[in-house]
mmCIF file of all heavy atoms in Angstrom:
data_model
loop_
_atom_site.group_PDB
_atom_site.id
_atom_site.type_symbol
_atom_site.label_atom_id
_atom_site.label_comp_id
_atom_site.label_asym_id
_atom_site.label_seq_id
_atom_site.Cartn_x
_atom_site.Cartn_y
_atom_site.Cartn_z
ATOM 1 N N ARG A 65 -220.267 138.668 104.336
ATOM 2 C CA ARG A 65 -221.130 137.767 104.929
ATOM 3 C C ARG A 65 -220.470 136.883 105.962
ATOM 4 O O ARG A 65 -220.167 135.725 105.701
ATOM 5 C CB ARG A 65 -222.009 137.021 104.063
ATOM 6 C CG ARG A 65 -221.262 136.239 103.022
ATOM 7 C CD ARG A 65 -222.205 135.494 102.072
ATOM 8 N NE ARG A 65 -221.168 134.963 101.070
ATOM 9 C CZ ARG A 65 -221.202 133.781 100.602
ATOM 10 N NH1 ARG A 65 -222.147 132.938 100.904
ATOM 11 N NH2 ARG A 65 -220.407 133.339 99.767
ATOM 12 N N PRO A 66 -220.019 137.406 107.046
ATOM 13 C CA PRO A 66 -219.152 136.716 108.012
ATOM 14 C C PRO A 66 -220.023 135.706 108.855
ATOM 15 O O PRO A 66 -221.123 136.095 109.276
ATOM 16 C CB PRO A 66 -218.566 137.739 108.890
ATOM 17 C CG PRO A 66 -219.544 138.851 108.891
ATOM 18 C CD PRO A 66 -220.174 138.810 107.488
ATOM 19 N N ASP A 67 -219.553 134.535 108.977
ATOM 20 C CA ASP A 67 -220.036 133.537 109.947
ATOM 21 C C ASP A 67 -218.856 132.682 110.314
ATOM 22 O O ASP A 67 -217.836 132.678 109.589
ATOM 23 C CB ASP A 67 -221.270 132.835 109.457
ATOM 24 C CG ASP A 67 -221.039 131.841 108.355
ATOM 25 O OD1 ASP A 67 -219.915 131.285 108.195
ATOM 26 O OD2 ASP A 67 -221.949 131.575 107.536
ATOM 27 N N LEU A 68 -219.045 131.902 111.298
ATOM 28 C CA LEU A 68 -217.828 131.112 111.840
ATOM 29 C C LEU A 68 -217.342 130.129 110.718
ATOM 30 O O LEU A 68 -216.071 130.001 110.542
ATOM 31 C CB LEU A 68 -218.249 130.337 113.033
ATOM 32 C CG LEU A 68 -217.146 129.546 113.753
ATOM 33 C CD1 LEU A 68 -215.985 130.521 114.112
ATOM 34 C CD2 LEU A 68 -217.669 128.829 114.929
ATOM 35 N N ASN A 69 -218.269 129.521 110.033
ATOM 36 C CA ASN A 69 -217.765 128.482 108.947
ATOM 37 C C ASN A 69 -217.000 129.136 107.848
ATOM 38 O O ASN A 69 -216.025 128.637 107.332
ATOM 39 C CB ASN A 69 -219.074 127.780 108.351
ATOM 40 C CG ASN A 69 -219.625 126.771 109.363
ATOM 41 O OD1 ASN A 69 -218.976 126.250 110.271
ATOM 42 N ND2 ASN A 69 -220.912 126.494 109.124
ATOM 43 N N GLU A 70 -217.493 130.340 107.448
ATOM 44 C CA GLU A 70 -216.764 131.093 106.408
ATOM 45 C C GLU A 70 -215.373 131.513 106.846
ATOM 46 O O GLU A 70 -214.404 131.493 106.063
ATOM 47 C CB GLU A 70 -217.607 132.398 105.960
ATOM 48 C CG GLU A 70 -218.833 132.092 105.203
ATOM 49 C CD GLU A 70 -218.505 131.672 103.723
ATOM 50 O OE1 GLU A 70 -217.494 132.165 103.168
ATOM 51 O OE2 GLU A 70 -219.158 130.750 103.274
ATOM 52 N N VAL A 71 -215.270 131.957 108.045
ATOM 53 C CA VAL A 71 -214.026 132.363 108.674
ATOM 54 C C VAL A 71 -213.065 131.146 108.662
ATOM 55 O O VAL A 71 -211.830 131.252 108.334
ATOM 56 C CB VAL A 71 -214.119 132.957 109.969
ATOM 57 C CG1 VAL A 71 -212.784 133.252 110.629
ATOM 58 C CG2 VAL A 71 -214.886 134.308 109.901
ATOM 59 N N ILE A 72 -213.530 130.067 109.169
ATOM 60 C CA ILE A 72 -212.689 128.822 109.190
ATOM 61 C C ILE A 72 -212.235 128.374 107.724
ATOM 62 O O ILE A 72 -211.007 128.143 107.545
ATOM 63 C CB ILE A 72 -213.390 127.694 109.888
ATOM 64 C CG1 ILE A 72 -213.574 128.065 111.377
ATOM 65 C CG2 ILE A 72 -212.667 126.336 109.703
ATOM 66 C CD1 ILE A 72 -214.394 127.045 112.172
ATOM 67 N N VAL A 73 -213.107 128.392 106.863
ATOM 68 C CA VAL A 73 -212.801 127.988 105.451
ATOM 69 C C VAL A 73 -211.836 129.057 104.920
ATOM 70 O O VAL A 73 -210.828 128.640 104.227
ATOM 71 C CB VAL A 73 -214.070 128.027 104.625
ATOM 72 C CG1 VAL A 73 -213.773 127.853 103.118
ATOM 73 C CG2 VAL A 73 -214.964 126.836 105.046
ATOM 74 N N LEU A 74 -212.030 130.304 105.174
ATOM 75 C CA LEU A 74 -211.110 131.320 104.619
ATOM 76 C C LEU A 74 -209.795 131.039 105.200
ATOM 77 O O LEU A 74 -208.731 131.225 104.496
ATOM 78 C CB LEU A 74 -211.684 132.775 104.937
ATOM 79 C CG LEU A 74 -210.697 133.848 104.661
ATOM 80 C CD1 LEU A 74 -210.589 133.968 103.213
ATOM 81 C CD2 LEU A 74 -211.187 135.153 105.249
ATOM 82 N N ALA A 75 -209.656 130.889 106.507
ATOM 83 C CA ALA A 75 -208.279 130.674 107.106
ATOM 84 C C ALA A 75 -207.651 129.527 106.448
ATOM 85 O O ALA A 75 -206.379 129.612 106.197
ATOM 86 C CB ALA A 75 -208.547 130.355 108.598
ATOM 87 N N VAL A 76 -208.354 128.423 106.145
ATOM 88 C CA VAL A 76 -207.747 127.287 105.596
ATOM 89 C C VAL A 76 -207.285 127.532 104.138
ATOM 90 O O VAL A 76 -206.178 127.259 103.706
ATOM 91 C CB VAL A 76 -208.649 126.025 105.605
ATOM 92 C CG1 VAL A 76 -208.148 124.913 104.800
ATOM 93 C CG2 VAL A 76 -208.852 125.551 107.059
ATOM 94 N N ILE A 77 -208.060 128.197 103.291
ATOM 95 C CA ILE A 77 -207.871 128.513 102.013
ATOM 96 C C ILE A 77 -206.653 129.490 101.945
ATOM 97 O O ILE A 77 -205.737 129.350 101.106
ATOM 98 C CB ILE A 77 -209.041 129.150 101.305
ATOM 99 C CG1 ILE A 77 -210.191 128.063 101.015
ATOM 100 C CG2 ILE A 77 -208.629 129.817 99.954
ATOM 101 C CD1 ILE A 77 -211.439 128.638 100.655
ATOM 102 N N VAL A 78 -206.720 130.588 102.740
ATOM 103 C CA VAL A 78 -205.562 131.483 102.819
ATOM 104 C C VAL A 78 -204.228 130.835 103.151
ATOM 105 O O VAL A 78 -203.271 131.064 102.473
ATOM 106 C CB VAL A 78 -205.826 132.682 103.663
ATOM 107 C CG1 VAL A 78 -204.591 133.535 103.928
ATOM 108 C CG2 VAL A 78 -206.974 133.468 103.127
ATOM 109 N N ALA A 79 -204.342 129.932 104.100
ATOM 110 C CA ALA A 79 -203.056 129.160 104.470
ATOM 111 C C ALA A 79 -202.576 128.340 103.369
ATOM 112 O O ALA A 79 -201.370 128.369 103.038
ATOM 113 C CB ALA A 79 -203.377 128.251 105.730
ATOM 114 N N ILE A 80 -203.430 127.582 102.683
ATOM 115 C CA ILE A 80 -202.979 126.797 101.486
ATOM 116 C C ILE A 80 -202.535 127.614 100.437
ATOM 117 O O ILE A 80 -201.365 127.364 99.805
ATOM 118 C CB ILE A 80 -204.197 125.958 101.028
ATOM 119 C CG1 ILE A 80 -204.511 124.861 102.112
ATOM 120 C CG2 ILE A 80 -203.802 125.300 99.694
ATOM 121 C CD1 ILE A 80 -205.854 124.127 101.860
ATOM 122 N N ARG A 81 -203.120 128.718 100.062
ATOM 123 C CA ARG A 81 -202.763 129.567 98.944
ATOM 124 C C ARG A 81 -201.446 130.335 99.281
ATOM 125 O O ARG A 81 -200.630 130.588 98.353
ATOM 126 C CB ARG A 81 -203.811 130.563 98.605
ATOM 127 C CG ARG A 81 -204.968 129.847 97.890
ATOM 128 C CD ARG A 81 -205.985 130.836 97.443
ATOM 129 N NE ARG A 81 -207.073 130.158 96.750
ATOM 130 C CZ ARG A 81 -208.315 130.606 96.568
ATOM 131 N NH1 ARG A 81 -208.569 131.848 96.963
ATOM 132 N NH2 ARG A 81 -209.234 129.860 95.983
#
Side-chain angles (χ1 to χ4, degrees):
R65 52 182 176 136
D67 68 29
L68 185 58
N69 288 336
E70 286 291 321
V71 171
I72 292 170
V73 169
L74 175 65
V76 170
I77 290 171
V78 168
I80 291 169
R81 288 183 180 161

